[in-house]
Amino acid sequence: MLVFTRKRDQTIMIGDGIEVRVLRVGRDGVRLGVSAPADVAVHRREVYDTIREENRQAAAAARTKVPLLRTLRSPRVGSRPRTA
Amino acid sequence: MGTHVTPMTPPGPIRVDTGFGEFTVNPGDLVSFPSGLPGFERCRSFALLSSEELAPLSYLQAVGGPPASFLVIDPRQVLPDYRCALGQSDLGRLGATESSVLLWLAIVSFTDDDHAWANLRAPVVINPQKMIGYQVLPHNSLYPLRHPLTPA
């Protein structure tokens, strides 16, 4: 991990399109502003971790539970996703 | 000296083995997931598979990379008024605008005693025009991470 000490209004650049700026340093935390290209997702880490764990459980459930469903004998066809 | 160009044969249908049977998918029906899904970041291509037995659930199956599959359901089947606003960043990643019609899927999970729930807080969103999908994590979602599903 790269470690920086930044004062308010100072910025870190990541790659050539991402910037993290310290907006405010206070007793209840540090307020950060993030600029990133539209195709880059920015998340609170704990939110991402929560969704990751939910997905892992869901994938494990699909792997173990779905084979118990009754199967058809003939192959089925997937289709291009369409909206209702 | 002339050169001989061998025409590339277009890729044929793909056979996908799922937990409940075999499906045939055309490469053009695969959805690109540039970020994969949280926890499955290297799964970059998915097929959305449906069958009458599974309905209203569908099967989102990773193709061509690490194996992963998910049962999914339209969140409006769970909550008819379900509505999730996408920010500019998510719209941009999907190649969509606010007026684009998008496909929404909630990932379904089970416990061992067959309680099932849908993740309405972080839906999978697919732009059918671009065949691109992401799981979006809205900042201020009021929807539950685990909305119970009652058996049909």
Side-chain angles (χ1 to χ4, degrees):
Chain A
M1 178 177 285
L2 296 176
V3 179
F4 300 87
T5 299
R6 303 270 70 194
K7 294 189 167 68
R8 199 182 69 177
D9 291 332
Q10 291 187 318
T11 301
I12 290 170
M13 276 183 56
I14 299 171
D16 60 2
I18 301 171
E19 289 197 358
V20 180
R21 177 184 292 194
V22 178
L23 299 176
R24 189 172 71 219
V25 179
R27 197 165 296 180
D28 52 351
V30 177
R31 192 176 189 85
L32 300 172
V34 180
S35 306
D39 59 337
V40 175
V42 180
H43 300 299
R44 292 172 176 79
R45 177 61 193 258
E46 62 274 17
V47 171
Y48 191 91
D49 286 351
T50 298
I51 301 307
R52 185 188 61 201
E53 285 314 305
E54 289 298 302
N55 287 350
R56 288 199 180 147
Q57 178 162 8
R63 191 170 58 244
T64 58
K65 291 290 202 173
V66 174
L68 301 177
L69 296 176
R70 192 172 47 90
T71 64
L72 282 180
R73 284 181 215 99
S74 58
R76 287 175 292 273
V77 178
S79 60
R80 186 185 179 95
R82 282 186 179 80
T83 53
Chain B
M1 185 161 2
T3 53
H4 178 67
V5 177
T6 306
M8 274 176 42
T9 48
I14 300 165
R15 291 219 316 247
V16 180
D17 268 315
T18 71
F20 60 93
E22 190 184 81
F23 282 75
T24 305
V25 180
N26 289 316
D29 296 338
L30 294 177
V31 184
S32 167
F33 275 69
S35 298
L37 298 176
F40 299 86
E41 290 80 1
R42 284 173 39 231
C43 297
R44 302 295 176 84
S45 185
F46 283 83
L48 184 62
L49 309 171
S50 305
S51 73
E52 277 177 15
E53 300 166 299
L54 262 195
L57 300 175
S58 295
Y59 212 64
L60 189 67
Q61 170 117 0
V63 174
S69 50
F70 301 90
L71 286 162
V72 294
I73 191 168
D74 181 340
R76 290 164 301 182
Q77 297 264 348
V78 181
L79 288 178
D81 296 331
Y82 184 87
R83 211 178 339 251
C84 183
L86 293 178
Q88 287 305 313
S89 167
D90 288 327
L91 287 173
R93 294 193 294 157
L94 289 163
T97 65
E98 274 160 17
S99 56
S100 299
V101 181
L102 303 171
L103 183 64
W104 296 77
L105 300 168
I107 292 178
V108 171
S109 190
F110 300 79
T111 58
D112 283 336
D113 52 357
D114 292 328
H115 287 109
W117 58 80
N119 179 350
L120 299 183
R121 180 171 298 174
V124 170
V125 186
I126 292 174
N127 181 357
Q129 300 294 323
K130 300 275 167 72
M131 295 300 272
I132 290 178
Y134 286 92
Q135 184 168 18
V136 300
L137 281 55
H139 299 303
N140 300 312
S141 175
L142 298 177
Y143 290 110
L145 199 58
R146 298 185 175 191
H147 189 286
L149 297 178
T150 49

